[in-house]
């Protein structure tokens, strides 16, 4: 097996070779899913996605553009907020604009965009889906058709200060919420735990993880809401009591991903629930570099169930040059490109084999933990009216976290709201 340095030096050349050979509204009534259309047209295209916090997407585009001077790609960066990204993509689709060609869709948006025919079905037979993580593939499907190719996947992890645990005589990261609270009691002068609790999509993820990690579920297998239960109450109580007791710092009520990352890197937290992308960034932060590690999220009585996240690549129904767009998607989801992106950004790939490469595991020791978390991850509700679903979740949960309602009141209200919103 080649060394990581050898891989890193050769990866751009390998990716370039691959590219030369290649020839991740709301409330509307559900429409029948069309079959894959002929994807025609070649020429310049765009990639619309959230802010490139990794800094590597433009590099991948540059490699493609060098090999395809007549079919160049231009990156359109949307806001950091997932909610604002979706809003701009919806507005683009509703006006039938061809400004966006390839959409880097959040995994929860597939059903909405497919049902409204804002994206075009992809030819399943042109992707070897058996090589991708099964859960990642499912996030790109709607009514049996593939509408978005899996590019980057995600599952929540527990980042922790291993140096502080060792100094306090703690030999292993916590497996339960109670263990985490006990550990924090042994470490003075540092905040205990945070996730992402502002009223946005991250709150839906953190709430879903808490409910799932207590043995509950936000919706059942038939798509019906199931939040007015003892298990859901235990999950929400964990978060509510965390704020009341100070285990979760009060300022965390405003945290989104980057706020939480900066707090951890500033040495303000022992534990943080976060996505894999933080690994590379925190290893550049002076205060925590080499002093942290990751573990599975803790739960009520054992390891928890993380929320499945990630982004998939779809083609706008209103775009030009769809044949070029399809080839660009194949390029981004190829083994060499996904490996290159992992090396540069620590973002989780969707190709299963990359998690088992010895050289990659040596450079990214968290890969086995991440793979286990991904296999144990649970999706958020897959609903055509997902934006209404997540808004309802955020409003009820935020009210409980800020003391404006009890957990019982919040969950009863949420159960009532979700009923009509999850009907397909």
């Amino acid at each position: 097996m080649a060394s990581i340095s050898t891989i890193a030096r050769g990866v751009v050349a390998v990716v370039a070779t691959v590219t030369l050979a290649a020839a991740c509204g709301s409330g509307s009534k559900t429409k029948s899913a069309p079959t894959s259309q002929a994807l025609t047209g070649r020429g310049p295209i765009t990639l619309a996605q959230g802010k490139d916090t990794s800094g590597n997407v433009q590099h991948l585009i540059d490699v493609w553009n060098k090999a395809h001077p007549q079919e160049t790609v231009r990156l359109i960066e949307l806001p950091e907020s997932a909610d604002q990204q979706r809003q701009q993509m919806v507005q683009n689709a509703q006006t039938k604009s061809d400004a966006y060609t390839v959409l880097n869709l959040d995994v929860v948006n597939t059903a909405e965009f497919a049902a409204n025919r804002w994206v075009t079905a992809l030819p399943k037979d042109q992707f070897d889906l058996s090589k991708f993580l099964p859960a990642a593939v499912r996030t790109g499907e709607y009514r049996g058709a593939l509408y978005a190719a899996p590019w980057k996947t995600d599952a929540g992890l527990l980042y922790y200060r291993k140096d502080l645990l060792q100094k306090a005589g703690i030999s292993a990261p916590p497996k339960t919420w109670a263990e985490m609270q006990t550990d924090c009691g042994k470490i003075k002068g540092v905040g205990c735990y945070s996730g992402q609790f502002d009223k946005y999509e991250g709150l839906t993820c953190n709430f879903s993880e808490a409910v799932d990690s207590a043995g509950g579920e936000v919706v059942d297998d038939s798509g019906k809401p199931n939040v007015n239960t003892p298990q859901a109450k235990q999950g929400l109580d964990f978060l509510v009591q965390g704020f009341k007791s100070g285990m979760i710092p009060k300022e965390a009520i405003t945290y989104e991903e980057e706020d939480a990352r900066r707090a951890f890197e500033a040495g303000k937290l022992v534990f943080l629930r976060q996505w894999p992308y933080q690994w590379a960034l925190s290893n550049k932060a002076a205060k925590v570099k080499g002093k942290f590690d990751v573990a599975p999220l803790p739960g009520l009585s054992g390891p928890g169930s993380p929320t499945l996240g990630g982004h998939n690549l779809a083609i706008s129904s209103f775009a030009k040059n769809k044949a070029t767009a399809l080839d660009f998607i194949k390029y981004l989801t190829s083994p060499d490109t996904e490996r290159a992106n992992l090396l540069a950004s620590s973002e989780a790939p969707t190709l299963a084999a990359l998690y088992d490469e010895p050289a990659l595991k040596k450079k990214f020791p968290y890969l086995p933990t991440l793979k286990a978390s991904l296999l144990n991850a649970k999706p958020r509700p897959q609903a055509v009216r997902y934006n209404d679903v997540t808004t309802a979740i955020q409003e009820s949960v935020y009210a409980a976290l800020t003391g404006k309602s009890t957990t019982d009141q919040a969950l009863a209200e949420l159960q009532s709201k979700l009923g009509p919103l999850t009907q397909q």
Side-chain angles (χ1 to χ4, degrees), residues 81-94 113:
S81 166
D83 298 339
Q84 293 177 27
Q85 291 167 32
R86 173 197 164 275
Q87 182 180 28
Q88 292 194 20
M89 289 182 182
V90 168
Q91 289 172 347
N92 185 79
Q94 289 176 333
F113 277 66

Side-chain angles (χ1 to χ4, degrees), residues 240-257:
V240 170
Q241 294 303 320
F243 275 100
K244 287 183 177 179
S245 69
M247 183 191 80
I248 302 175
K250 63 180 184 300
E251 56 267 27
I253 197 66
T254 66
Y255 282 0
E256 297 188 11
E257 280 85 357

Side-chain angles (χ1 to χ4, degrees), residues 192-215:
C192 180
Y193 170 78
S194 185
Q196 296 77 39
F197 302 114
D198 198 4
K199 192 192 290 186
Y200 81 117
E201 186 60 29
L203 181 57
T204 298
C205 294
N206 280 254
F207 168 70
S208 298
E209 286 172 342
V211 172
D212 291 334
S213 297

Side-chain angles (χ1 to χ4, degrees), residues 15-288:
V15 171
T17 302
V18 171
T19 63
L20 288 167
C24 199
S26 175
S28 299
K29 292 183 179 179
T30 305
K31 304 180 179 79
S32 60
T35 56
S36 176
Q37 303 172 3
L39 301 178
T40 60
R42 292 195 171 277
I45 62 173
T46 61
L47 169 64
Q49 67 156 59
K51 183 174 175 59
D52 179 21
T53 54
S54 73
N56 192 53
V57 174
Q58 184 60 58
H59 170 71
L60 297 177
I61 290 173
D62 291 342
V63 173
W64 166 275
N65 287 346
K66 185 175 181 180
H68 300 80
Q70 303 304 314
E71 300 177 70
T72 56
V73 178
R74 179 170 61 88
L75 177 63
I76 298 177
E77 286 190 290
L78 305 179
E80 272 187 16
S81 166
D83 298 339
Q84 293 177 27
Q85 291 167 32
R86 173 197 164 275
Q87 182 180 28
Q88 292 194 20
M89 289 182 182
V90 168
Q91 289 172 347
N92 185 79
Q94 289 176 333
T95 60
K96 298 185 178 180
S97 169
D98 64 1
Y100 301 165
T101 311
V102 177
L103 304 178
N104 188 0
L105 281 181
D106 191 298
V107 293
V108 299
N109 297 140
T110 301
E112 177 188 11
F113 277 66
N116 285 288
R117 301 189 183 185
W118 293 336
V119 292
T120 301
L122 301 177
K124 259 188 175 182
D125 59 355
Q126 294 190 39
F127 294 88
D128 189 351
L129 298 178
S130 67
K131 295 187 182 300
F132 292 85
L133 294 166
V137 173
R138 288 194 292 272
T139 65
E141 295 178 331
Y142 177 71
R143 292 193 170 186
L146 182 70
Y147 281 88
W151 183 29
K152 300 176 183 179
T153 192
D154 254 339
L157 295 169
L158 183 72
Y159 285 72
Y160 68 94
R161 288 286 302 275
K162 62 182 181 182
D163 61 326
L164 298 180
L165 265 62
Q166 291 169 356
K167 187 176 180 180
I170 302 167
S171 60
K175 294 182 174 61
T176 67
W177 294 332
E179 289 177 6
M180 184 167 67
Q181 289 176 295
T182 299
D183 290 348
C184 286
K186 300 176 182 178
I187 300 171
K188 307 301 181 184
V190 183
C192 180
Y193 170 78
S194 185
Q196 296 77 39
F197 302 114
D198 198 4
K199 192 192 290 186
Y200 81 117
E201 186 60 29
L203 181 57
T204 298
C205 294
N206 280 254
F207 168 70
S208 298
E209 286 172 342
V211 172
D212 291 334
S213 297
E217 53 191 355
V218 178
V219 298
D220 62 22
D221 291 338
S222 66
K224 294 180 179 179
N226 198 31
V227 294
N228 201 11
T229 63
Q231 293 85 357
K233 178 176 168 56
Q234 286 178 307
L236 184 53
D237 277 342
F238 163 67
L239 300 178
V240 170
Q241 294 303 320
F243 275 100
K244 287 183 177 179
S245 69
M247 183 191 80
I248 302 175
K250 63 180 184 300
E251 56 267 27
I253 197 66
T254 66
Y255 282 0
E256 297 188 11
E257 280 85 357
E258 286 295 272
D259 306 299
R261 175 178 71 83
R262 286 188 282 265
F264 184 83
E265 291 176 356
K268 296 180 179 180
L269 297 166
V270 180
F271 299 106
L272 173 64
R273 176 261 176 232
Q274 183 63 286
W275 304 107
Y277 86 96
Q278 180 169 323
W279 178 275
L281 296 174
S282 290
N283 267 309
K284 298 175 184 177
K287 283 192 175 182
V288 298

